[in-house]
Amino acid sequence: VTIGDCRLILADCREVLPLLPKVDAVITDPPYGIGADVGAGKSADKWAAETGEARWDLAPPDDELLALVVAAGKVAIVWGGNYFRLPPSPCWLVWDKETAGVTTFADCELAWTNLPTAVRLKRYLWSGPYMRIKEERFHPTQKPFPVMEWCIERAGKISSVLDPFMGSGTTGVACARMGLQFVGIERERKYFDIACRRIEQAYAQPRLFEDAKVGAGDTAVQVELLPANEK
């Protein structure tokens, strides 16, 4: 399915990745193999009987698949990197959920990267009544939109992004809103359809303008629009 500059593929990424051209950045959140598809307090058998769906979080991607994922982009950002066997990296992205002591879930999540910079931290509340932005949740391991937008910004000057484990499409929504090309792969039809709908909605309600971002040391420059002999 093609929506704007987003190409969405319903398939197993293991079969699709070797067929795709290399992108500027792979930004993804693979299954960790921790049973997030079942949820707390339910057995796998009970979950399957209630939903009729196949398990997608039985095990993390193997080394061969992870190598394909990382090689698919010049930059790679892989959430849950602490669950996988990946090379040492100087730059991990840390998402502080600001929920320490409030829930039994992890206080932070970690993304492995191949960026040559230092560890970076983003604090963003994603639980309870004090969330900064209310986002509807479509997927058990869905990341907040601002966190995925932050990942894209950390990747540097890029124009194309690939997410081989697209889920409900948050990375694609961020790319649509930021004017980037996106390729998303998802093997579960339920989440693929949700991703298509969310990305369509992102294009239907685009950002009309971006706030000017002038940092320390930046200088505003006035551009001459007409040649001197035409003034």
Side-chain angles (χ1 to χ4, degrees):
V1 175
T2 299
I3 306 170
D5 286 329
C6 297
R7 180 186 180 193
L8 313 180
I9 302 170
L10 177 62
D12 189 321
C13 66
R14 188 186 298 271
E15 300 173 355
V16 177
L17 283 171
L19 307 177
L20 297 177
K22 196 163 187 171
V23 295
D24 292 334
V26 175
I27 301 175
T28 192
D29 186 19
Y32 301 168
I34 59 175
D37 50 356
V38 175
K42 290 186 179 181
S43 69
D45 291 340
K46 182 178 180 181
W47 181 88
E50 289 179 357
T51 65
E53 298 176 6
R55 296 288 306 277
W56 52 263
D57 197 23
L58 278 169
D62 58 35
D63 294 349
E64 180 182 0
L65 179 52
L66 281 173
L68 283 174
V69 169
V70 172
K74 299 172 186 175
V75 171
I77 297 175
V78 182
W79 283 99
N82 48 313
Y83 288 95
F84 312 135
R85 291 194 295 186
L86 290 164
S89 170
C91 178
W92 287 72
L93 302 186
V94 182
W95 167 33
D96 179 358
K97 301 178 183 179
E98 298 187 325
T99 56
V102 177
T103 73
T104 58
F105 295 103
D107 296 337
C108 299
E109 290 197 31
L110 304 175
W112 175 92
T113 85
N114 61 359
L115 294 167
T117 56
V119 172
R120 298 297 181 225
L121 170 70
K122 182 175 182 66
R123 293 185 174 91
Y124 188 82
L125 186 63
W126 183 232
S127 178
Y130 302 108
M131 292 171 59
R132 294 183 181 88
I133 301 174
K134 296 292 183 182
E135 289 186 52
E136 187 175 357
R137 304 219 186 167
F138 302 96
H139 193 283
T141 62
Q142 181 176 327
K143 294 289 185 291
F145 169 79
V147 170
M148 299 314 295
E149 186 178 49
W150 172 65
C151 290
I152 294 171
E153 292 170 347
R154 298 306 318 168
K157 295 181 179 180
I158 60 173
S159 61
S160 58
V161 175
L162 167 67
D163 187 349
F165 303 93
M166 178 173 63
S168 60
T170 304
T171 307
V173 171
C175 288
R177 294 186 63 185
M178 298 172 75
L180 302 176
Q181 297 174 8
F182 174 73
V183 177
I185 309 170
E186 174 56 43
R187 68 181 185 182
E188 301 298 329
R189 183 71 198 224
K190 171 184 175 181
Y191 296 119
F192 178 83
D193 290 343
I194 290 171
C196 289
R197 185 174 70 249
R198 293 182 70 202
I199 291 170
E200 284 178 347
Q201 291 172 348
Y203 277 111
Q205 298 177 331
R207 292 179 178 178
L208 298 181
F209 57 87
E210 293 286 345
D211 293 335
K213 297 179 180 179
V214 180
D218 290 346
T219 303
V221 178
Q222 181 174 344
V223 179
E224 297 287 351
L225 298 181
L226 293 175
N229 60 359
E230 295 184 19
K231 291 182 181 179

Coordinates of all heavy atoms in Angstrom, one line a residue, residues 75-77 89-91 93 113-118 151 154-156:
V75 N 22.1 4.5 9.0 CA 22.0 4.6 10.4 C 21.0 3.6 10.9 O 20.0 3.3 10.2 CB 21.5 6.0 10.8 CG1 21.1 6.1 12.2 CG2 22.5 7.1 10.4
A76 N 21.3 3.0 12.1 CA 20.4 2.0 12.7 C 20.1 2.4 14.1 O 21.0 2.7 14.9 CB 20.9 0.6 12.6
I77 N 18.8 2.4 14.4 CA 18.3 2.7 15.8 C 17.3 1.5 16.1 O 16.3 1.4 15.5 CB 17.6 4.0 16.0 CG1 18.6 5.1 15.7 CG2 17.0 4.2 17.4 CD1 18.0 6.6 15.7
S89 N 28.3 -0.2 21.4 CA 28.0 1.1 20.8 C 28.2 2.2 21.8 O 27.9 2.1 23.0 CB 26.5 1.2 20.4 OG 26.2 2.5 20.0
P90 N 28.8 3.4 21.4 CA 29.0 4.5 22.3 C 27.7 5.3 22.5 O 27.6 6.0 23.4 CB 30.0 5.4 21.6 CG 29.8 5.1 20.1 CD 29.4 3.6 20.1
C91 N 26.7 5.1 21.6 CA 25.5 5.9 21.6 C 24.3 5.0 21.8 O 23.8 4.3 20.8 CB 25.4 6.7 20.4 SG 23.8 7.7 20.3
L93 N 20.2 5.3 23.0 CA 19.1 6.3 23.3 C 18.3 5.7 24.5 O 17.9 4.6 24.5 CB 18.2 6.4 22.1 CG 18.9 6.9 20.8 CD1 17.9 7.2 19.7 CD2 19.8 8.2 21.0
T113 N 22.1 1.9 18.9 CA 22.4 2.7 17.7 C 23.8 2.4 17.2 O 24.7 2.0 17.9 CB 22.2 4.2 17.8 OG1 23.4 4.8 18.3 CG2 21.1 4.6 18.8
N114 N 24.0 2.7 15.9 CA 25.4 2.6 15.4 C 25.9 4.1 15.2 O 26.9 4.3 14.4 CB 25.5 1.9 14.1 CG 24.6 2.4 12.9 OD1 23.9 3.4 13.1 ND2 24.6 1.8 11.8
L115 N 25.3 5.0 15.8 CA 25.7 6.4 15.8 C 27.0 6.6 16.5 O 27.2 6.0 17.6 CB 24.7 7.3 16.3 CG 23.3 7.4 15.6 CD1 22.3 8.1 16.4 CD2 23.5 8.1 14.2
P116 N 27.9 7.4 16.0 CA 29.2 7.6 16.7 C 29.3 8.7 17.8 O 30.3 9.3 18.0 CB 30.1 8.0 15.5 CG 29.2 8.8 14.6 CD 27.9 8.2 14.7
T117 N 28.1 8.9 18.4 CA 28.0 10.0 19.4 C 27.8 9.4 20.8 O 28.0 8.2 20.9 CB 26.9 10.9 19.1 OG1 25.7 10.2 19.0 CG2 27.1 11.7 17.7
A118 N 27.5 10.2 21.7 CA 27.4 9.7 23.1 C 26.0 9.3 23.4 O 25.0 9.6 22.6 CB 27.9 10.8 24.1
C151 N 13.8 10.1 17.9 CA 14.7 9.1 17.3 C 15.1 9.6 15.8 O 16.3 9.5 15.5 CB 14.1 7.8 17.2 SG 13.9 6.9 18.7
R154 N 17.5 12.4 16.0 CA 18.9 11.9 16.4 C 19.6 11.3 15.2 O 20.9 11.3 15.2 CB 18.8 10.9 17.5 CG 18.2 11.4 18.8 CD 18.8 12.6 19.4 NE 20.2 12.7 19.3 CZ 21.0 13.7 19.6 NH1 20.4 14.9 19.9 NH2 22.3 13.7 19.5
A155 N 18.9 10.8 14.2 CA 19.5 10.1 13.1 C 20.3 11.0 12.2 O 21.0 10.6 11.3 CB 18.5 9.3 12.3
G156 N 20.0 12.3 12.3 CA 20.8 13.3 11.5 C 20.0 13.7 10.3 O 18.7 13.6 10.3

